[in-house]
Every structure is written in C-alpha cells, then in structure tokens.
Amino acid sequence: MSTPSGAPAAAPRIPEAVHRRRWAILGVLMFSLLIVVLDNSILNVAVKTIAAPAPTGIGATQSELEWAINSYTLVFAGLLFTSGLLGDRIGRKKVLLFGILVFGLGSALAAMSGSPAELIGYRALMGFGAAFVMPATLAVLMNVFERDEQPKAIGIWAGSVGLGIAIGPITGGLLLEHFWWGSIFLVNVPVVVVALVAMVLLVPDSRDPRPGRLDPLGVALSVVGLVLLVYGIIRGGELADFTEPTVLLPLLGGLAVLAVFVWHEKRSTHPAIDVSYFKKPAFAAAVAAIALVFFALMGVTFFSAFYLQSVRGYSALQSGLLILPLAAAQMIFAPRARLVVDRFGARVVCTVGMLLVAAGLAAFALFDTGTPVWVLCLVFFVQGTGMAHIMPPVTVAVMQALPREKAGSGSAINNTFRQVGGALGVAVLGSVLSATYRGEIEGHLGAVPAAARDAAGESIEATLGVAAKLGPAGKPLIGSAYDAFLDAMHVTALGSAAVALIGAVVVAVFLPGRPPAAKPAEASEAPAPAEAASH
C-alpha cells in the first residue's frame, strides 16, 4: 500500500488499516443503505392497507398516499446537496450517524400516526434523516476503496438495493398479516440501533481538506421549486384537469423557481451543485439515465401494488413475494455488471438495460385479471435484470468523474436525480393513472349517491369501498372498477415504457463506448487528481 514514487503527494493512497477492513466497512454501508431502501419498498405493499378506513388503515386517499411517498422523497432530494457538502466539510461518518438517528426517530413517530396528514409529516422527517444517510454511504465507499476496486464495490452496493427490494415487501407482508399497519415503520428502529453500533465501531471518518461553502439560497430554491412542481402534478391528477388555476399556478411557479435555481447555481461562487459537471456528455447522460429509469420504475411500482392487491386479490405478503424475481435479478447481476461493461462498454450495456426495462414496463399494458403468475414473475425478472445493468455503470460514471475528495458532492448529485426522478414518476404517472381512471369510471357511478360520486371516482379502492356499502346493488360497480383500473394501468404502463425508451436513446448517444485496450497496470494504480477528475 505504499505510494508509488511517481504519484503526486496530493493523491494519497487509502491507509493500510482502512484498506484491510474495506469489505467489512462495505457491509456496514450496505446495512445502512438497506434501512432507506427497505422503508420505501415496505410502503409500496402497504398502500392498500393504509388506504383502508380505520381501524385497518387511516383512510388515506390516492393523492394522500402519493404525498406519503413524495413528502419523504422531496425532502430527501432537496437536502441531498447540503448533506453531501456537510459530509465533505465536517466528516461523512458524523453526517451518517446523525442521519440514521433522525431516520429512526421519524420511523417511530410515523408508526404512531393517527391521520394521513401526520403520516405525511413524519415521512418528511424520515426523508430528512435519509438525506444524510444515502450520500454518505457512497462517499465513504469512494474513500475506502482504490479506484480499480470501486466498480466492483459500487456493483455490490447497488446489489444491496435489490436485497432491500426483496426484504421490504416480504417483511411488510408478514407484518401486515400479524400486526397493525404502523409496524412497517416501527421495524426500522431495531435496524437503526444495529447500524449505529456497527458504524461507530468500523467506519472511518473522512472529509474534503478544501470544502466549499454552503449554499442555503440554492437549497431553498430547489426544495420550493420541486414541491410546487410535484404538488401541481398531483393536484392535476386529482382533478383530472391540468387547466385549473390550482394546478397551473404551482406548476408554472415550480418551473420558474427551478429556472432561477439553475441561474443562481451558474453564477454562484459556491454552488450547491456545480453545473459545469454537466458539460461532460458522459456525466450528463449517466445522471439523466438515473433520473429516467427511476421515473419509469417508481410510477409502475406505485400502481402495481393496486393491480396485485385490489384487482388480482393477492395479500400484501403474496404481492411482496411476487416482487422477488426483480430483487433476485438485481442481486445476481448488479455485482457482475462491471464485467459486462469491461467487455462491451457502458453504452451498449446501459442501452440494452434500458430496453429491457422498457419491455418490462410495456408488458403491463397486456396484463388483465387472468394473467398467469409465471408471466408476472418473468416480467419482474426482466425489469430487475435491466436495472442491474444500468445502475452500477452510471453510478461509476458519475462518481469517477469527480476527485475522491468531492465524493460527497458526487454522491449527492447521483442520489438527487434518482430521488427527483422517482418523485416525479410517482407524481406524473400516478396522476395519469388517477385521471384516466376517473374518466373511465365516471359513467358507471349512476347508482352511487350524488354526494359520494366525487370521492368514489378518485381511485379503485374508493370505488370498491362504495360498492361494498351498496351491497348487492354495488356488484356491477366492482367489475366496472376493475375494467377502468386496467385501462388506466395500460395507459400509464405505455407512458412509463416511453420514458424508458427516451433513456435508452440518451445513453446510446452520449455514454462512452467500449473502453480502449487496457493500459499497463501501474498507470491505474495511483491516478493523479486531474486524471481522476477527467474520467
């Protein structure tokens, strides 16, 4: 581990003591990341239960469910810039410990929520904590692995997302079968305790020796712009009308604030996000791919829970088990993605991955009430395989474009676009689903009392709830609700597939192709800072 004589002093090697325990540190980082991923994947199978009236759930409407997901995501995304800079400035380990503590507190409070509004608020607190966890895990990883091992470590790190996707729905299903809905959040608390102990014992601290100043105005602009934009989109889906003032004003206001944010970041001497990074086509394409794939996937994850549970009649546990093929594909292929990239190049691998995701999403347009289970499993496996060959290469491209000491900022950019893409996916595709469903079901609500028609048309759960209250007279409404939801799901699935196809075009045009013949080994052992920043 000694530094080669030709290596500049400004590019120190990893300390020997840290290098020896790097894989144990990676295990702790994966465990911490698991907390964040586990929470979102658990919530996806619980949306039907939370939507049920008390005492089973808390009677959340579809828009309130979208906000329960997006309040977490928006706070998360809005604070990632600041948390990345704070980690670079005061130490990534300190930031990580703080984030895990806040996340655990938010989880305990969310479990005790008595109303949708409380759940949305406590989910926002969880997002605040998570914003300090995820960027720090990737930043620490970049500072305990040498450059030649980083693709392998990032592949394993990304594979842990697949583990969370698998454990989350199954754990959520088991908890919902035996306990009340709040247990899906309370389960985070013991995981947080174990993660805290492991962090204190194993993870080294690191920071940027020359950190930049914070950018509170930039952070405020990004949060306000995103909240306004997503609120307008969700409101448009609620009303099935995007021309209403209550929809147009927040939409246009959000876009205007985000435009000011970009202008401010370009002029600031200490921007929250350095927009000059985006002048590199490979960097910009990698970030765009992250945003687009999560836009498409998160929207489908949201409506697939209703398809599996409301239309097909599967329990939360059965729905979680059906997601296993997607998770298994990620766990199998993500750690090995670097080998395929070495052979074929990031451009080919990511383009094929995007096409697989698009194919899996488009397949939802063919699903009906009798689609065989093995077909569902095959589609989820194809989606997981596609994602496993997208996320590790684009994450490597983003992280290795920056010097190691800026790992917190690079991780923040990577995770911000991932979360923003996911939030907009839930908002946009959830709104498409809601608007299409309302348009389809309204003509079948004649038997519903006039005062209840508006609420009955908001979602399939609301319609089925009204049909149950009508007794025998409501039976025809159940079939109409299934048909209307399937039509809405088909439209939304095709929209998701189109987004994934756009991502395929972006990576096919802008990502680098197959790497040139390998340089001599010593050339890659201790890259200079300027070289690391140019990749």
Side-chain angles (χ1 to χ4, degrees), residues 215-230:
D215 180 21
L217 177 59
V219 172
L221 288 170
S222 66
V223 173
V224 171
L226 286 169
V227 169
L228 286 173
L229 181 64
V230 175

Side-chain angles (χ1 to χ4, degrees), residues 277-306:
Y277 296 149
F278 292 89
K279 293 179 181 178
K280 301 177 183 180
F283 180 90
V287 168
I290 291 168
L292 289 169
V293 74
F294 271 86
F295 180 101
L297 198 74
M298 284 297 290
V300 169
T301 302
F302 181 73
F303 70 66
S304 65
F306 288 101

Side-chain angles (χ1 to χ4, degrees), residues 69-70 73 226 229-230 233 287-303 354 357 361 383 387 390-391 415-433 491-503:
I69 295 171
N70 281 334
T73 305
L226 286 169
L229 181 64
V230 175
I233 292 168
V287 168
I290 291 168
L292 289 169
V293 74
F294 271 86
F295 180 101
L297 198 74
M298 284 297 290
V300 169
T301 302
F302 181 73
F303 70 66
M354 277 288 191
V357 170
L361 297 173
Q383 285 181 327
M387 285 199 68
I390 298 168
M391 297 313 297
N415 287 297
T416 296
F417 278 84
R418 174 171 160 167
Q419 293 300 320
V420 170
L424 292 178
V426 172
V428 173
L429 298 176
S431 295
V432 170
L433 182 77
V491 170
T492 310
L494 291 175
S496 305
V499 171
L501 286 175
I502 293 171

Side-chain angles (χ1 to χ4, degrees), residues 437-459:
Y437 179 80
R438 183 181 288 274
E440 293 277 340
I441 198 64
E442 276 182 346
H444 301 277
L445 297 176
V448 178
R453 282 179 196 166
D454 187 57
E458 187 181 87
S459 68

Side-chain angles (χ1 to χ4, degrees), residues 231-286:
Y231 174 81
I233 292 168
I234 292 176
R235 183 64 176 158
E238 274 184 311
L239 300 176
D241 183 359
F242 283 82
T243 62
E244 284 281 326
T246 55
V247 177
L248 279 177
L249 287 176
L251 274 177
L252 297 176
L255 290 172
V257 172
L258 290 175
V260 173
F261 167 72
V262 173
W263 176 83
H264 167 74
E265 295 302 290
K266 291 176 73 173
R267 294 174 60 87
S268 175
T269 56
H270 53 284
I273 177 171
D274 189 344
V275 294
S276 66
Y277 296 149
F278 292 89
K279 293 179 181 178
K280 301 177 183 180
F283 180 90

